[in-house]
Amino acid sequence: MINHEREGKDGNRVLRPTAIGSHVASLPVAAASAGRWDSGSLRDTLFLVTFLLLWLTVTPFVDLGRSDVLDVNTGGSLATMVASLGLTAALAIFMVQTGSLQALRGAASPALIVTLVWFAISAVLSDNADLAIRRLVLAVITLFQACAFLMLPRDLRHFARLLTIGALIVVAFCYFGVLFLPHLSIHQATDFAEPGLAGDWRGTFRHKNDAGGDMAIFIFIGLFAARLWNPVAGWSLVLLSAVFLFFSHSKSPTNLLPAFLLIPVLALRFRSVWMRSGVLLALPVFLCVITIGSVTVPGIRSVVSSILSDPTFTGRDGIWSFALENTVARPLFGHGFQAFWGTSALVYNWSSIETWAMRASDAHNGFLNVSVMTGWVGLFATLCWVVLQPLSDLVRARDVDADLQLFFMRVWFFGLCLSSFESLLFAVGRTQWFMMTVAIFGLRLQTLSRLKR
């Protein structure tokens, strides 16, 4: 559980239970077991194992020169599934033994419950119901892991330290790959998928955009750690991540990084509900207008074409049009949770006269991806949980820790903006979605428990 620090009467910083800790009262039956988690390094170990398994996976440094990387519907390896189930079991044991299960009640807000229920209905009614149900179960497991992840640190300083150590290890692996395994860490002209990205750094990740997005999050972590734990370690992480982000040539995280850093700070200066909401929503709404609007409104398309050198957003416009057409085809329930892209109905029916979007791995837009999977109702429910609930939590929060709140805000705002270009929302296996979920849960639990320093 995370605790916040405050100044004692003697001027020293002392710990007090926080958000997460005070919201989750320890159960009597768990008292004895909880001591084992507090006396040793079990919390540290489980936190870092969770972090590194999610970021490095069991198969880092994927060879993109293999032809099977084009198979968008390839299931996870046995090792990946065993590792994920083992991690989930370990986190569940931790939650039970420390009496932290009650945190799930706070995290499971009405908006999230309605969203998951609708996703389940959509999955059952899908033409690929078995696939949709399996993937929905994995999505729920990810949500559980994110909530448990917040319970592991003892206090804010501990949280900042563990995040920074995990991020520095991942960054070290990425630089090691660039220096000693360049054919596995830098996009090559021999890659089966997107050989035009040759020269872009990707580190341990499969794609430069994954690397770029995570480096942006590591920058947020570094700034958080510089304030609450160790300035040297924090700023070192910021510098290393910024350099890697630059050489990844990931456009959206690089171009929007100043906005990700400054807009949440600006929003916190406003006390007005409408001003704070307006500041935070202006950029995500603008990005949705110029992206989705460019394929639906001719006037917007003309303006975008006159301003941008690539009005197709690197070919995404064709995928967006295809996703909209298929959302309209099944507007109520959609095609099933993560049961549309990569299915045999699309991949094996594709021909040279069909749009290449049929072979896309996703909609390359988080909001469109949800709508094509679960219909307009699913999209509305998702917006209530992903957009409106965090805004409400930010407005209702009083006397919370400012540094922790700013960190959560930056990660959430980053995910919201990037969803106009990438299918982050409910993307199982995407670390950016995992951290966005951590941020949403963190803001929720902060508000419910009135965290104080």
Side-chain angles (χ1 to χ4, degrees):
M1 57 186 163
I2 296 179
N3 294 281
H4 286 279
E5 296 176 336
R6 63 176 175 82
E7 297 292 334
K9 292 182 179 180
D10 57 357
N12 295 323
R13 295 168 72 86
V14 297
L15 296 177
R16 60 178 297 170
T18 75
I20 302 174
S22 61
H23 180 66
V24 193
S26 295
L27 299 175
V29 295
S33 298
R36 292 199 297 268
W37 288 96
D38 292 327
S39 59
S41 60
L42 286 177
R43 288 178 182 266
D44 302 51
T45 301
L46 185 53
F47 186 100
L48 290 175
V49 167
T50 302
F51 192 100
L52 297 178
L53 185 58
L54 289 170
W55 263 265
L56 297 179
T57 74
V58 297
T59 55
F61 302 116
V62 176
D63 183 3
L64 298 183
R66 302 196 323 260
S67 59
D68 61 351
V69 299
L70 296 176
D71 187 355
V72 299
N73 202 32
T74 300
S77 67
L78 177 61
T80 299
M81 290 186 286
V82 170
S84 179
L85 291 175
L87 174 63
T88 304
L91 290 172
I93 291 172
F94 164 78
M95 295 285 278
V96 170
Q97 291 188 345
T98 58
S100 301
L101 281 175
Q102 292 183 33
L104 296 175
R105 297 181 183 178
S109 62
L112 176 57
I113 293 173
V114 169
T115 300
L116 294 178
V117 168
W118 188 262
F119 284 5
I121 295 172
S122 172
V124 170
L125 297 177
S126 171
D127 294 336
N128 299 283
D130 291 345
L131 177 64
I133 292 171
R134 287 200 306 271
R135 291 183 169 176
L136 181 58
V137 170
L138 293 176
V140 173
I141 289 175
T142 298
L143 296 175
F144 169 77
Q145 291 174 344
C147 185
F149 189 74
L150 279 170
M151 299 295 104
L152 287 167
R154 298 184 185 90
D155 52 64
L156 267 180
R157 183 181 175 86
H158 192 214
F159 186 44
R161 178 168 66 87
L162 291 177
L163 281 174
T164 306
I165 292 173
L168 283 172
I169 292 174
V170 174
V171 171
F173 267 83
C174 289
Y175 276 102
F176 173 85
V178 168
L179 293 174
F180 301 106
L181 299 170
H183 63 293
L184 299 178
S185 303
I186 301 175
H187 281 287
Q188 306 291 312
T190 55
D191 291 352
F192 273 89
E194 300 181 279
L197 300 180
D200 295 344
W201 290 11
R202 62 182 179 91
T204 61
F205 303 93
R206 292 177 64 94
H207 196 277
K208 67 158 188 171
N209 288 340
D210 293 327
D214 281 336
M215 292 302 151
I217 291 178
F218 289 169
I219 289 173
F220 305 154
I221 292 174
L223 294 173
F224 178 59
R227 289 274 298 173
L228 290 179
W229 175 50
N230 188 310
V232 174
W235 283 108
S236 296
L237 178 59
V238 170
L239 177 61
L240 291 169
S241 301
V243 171
F244 204 98
L245 171 59
F246 176 79
F247 284 105
S248 73
H249 299 141
S250 183
K251 295 179 182 177
S252 299
T254 301
N255 295 336
L256 294 174
L257 182 62
F260 298 150
L261 295 174
L262 298 177
I263 289 179
V265 176
L266 177 63
L268 287 176
R269 293 182 177 275
F270 292 101
R271 293 182 177 273
S272 167
V273 174
W274 297 108
M275 286 297 296
R276 180 174 290 188
S277 300
V279 169
L280 289 171
L281 291 182
L283 182 58
V285 170
F286 172 75
L287 294 175
C288 284
V289 169
I290 66 171
T291 53
I292 305 304
S294 68
V295 299
T296 56
V297 181
I300 295 178
R301 175 75 175 188
S302 298
V303 172
V304 170
S305 299
S306 65
I307 296 176
L308 300 180
S309 58
D310 180 17
T312 70
F313 297 93
T314 59
R316 286 177 171 86
D317 59 341
I319 302 176
W320 296 336
S321 296
F322 183 70
L324 282 169
E325 292 172 4
N326 283 276
T327 298
V328 173
R330 299 187 66 167
L332 188 57
F333 299 106
H335 295 265
F337 183 80
Q338 294 187 4
F340 177 71
W341 305 101
T343 57
S344 57
L346 291 183
V347 175
Y348 298 119
N349 289 329
W350 178 84
S351 66
S352 59
I353 62 173
E354 300 286 351
T355 173
W356 73 275
M358 293 179 66
R359 295 182 63 85
S361 59
D362 54 64
H364 288 277
N365 180 286
F367 308 108
L368 271 183
N369 210 48
V370 171
S371 67
V372 77
M373 293 189 304
T374 62
W376 298 121
V377 177
L379 175 60
F380 176 77
T382 297
L383 291 175
C384 287
W385 181 59
V386 170
V387 181
L388 298 183
Q389 177 185 298
L391 281 176
S392 174
D393 290 335
L394 285 169
V395 169
R396 293 187 298 135
R398 295 290 185 274
D399 299 322
V400 300
D401 185 273
D403 294 313
L404 183 63
Q405 184 183 50
L406 179 59
F407 172 67
F408 286 150
M409 283 181 66
R410 279 174 168 160
V411 175
W412 166 73
F413 183 71
F414 160 84
L416 206 58
C417 292
L418 210 62
S419 290
S420 290
F421 305 99
E422 303 291 340
S423 297
L424 290 187
L425 305 180
F426 293 97
V428 176
R430 293 286 295 270
T431 48
Q432 295 157 35
W433 167 244
F434 177 83
M435 285 303 295
M436 187 178 180
T437 303
V438 167
I440 293 173
F441 285 157
L443 290 171
R444 182 68 174 176
L445 295 175
Q446 254 200 335
T447 300
L448 291 178
S449 53
R450 296 293 194 267
L451 296 186
K452 295 184 178 180
R453 192 183 277 268

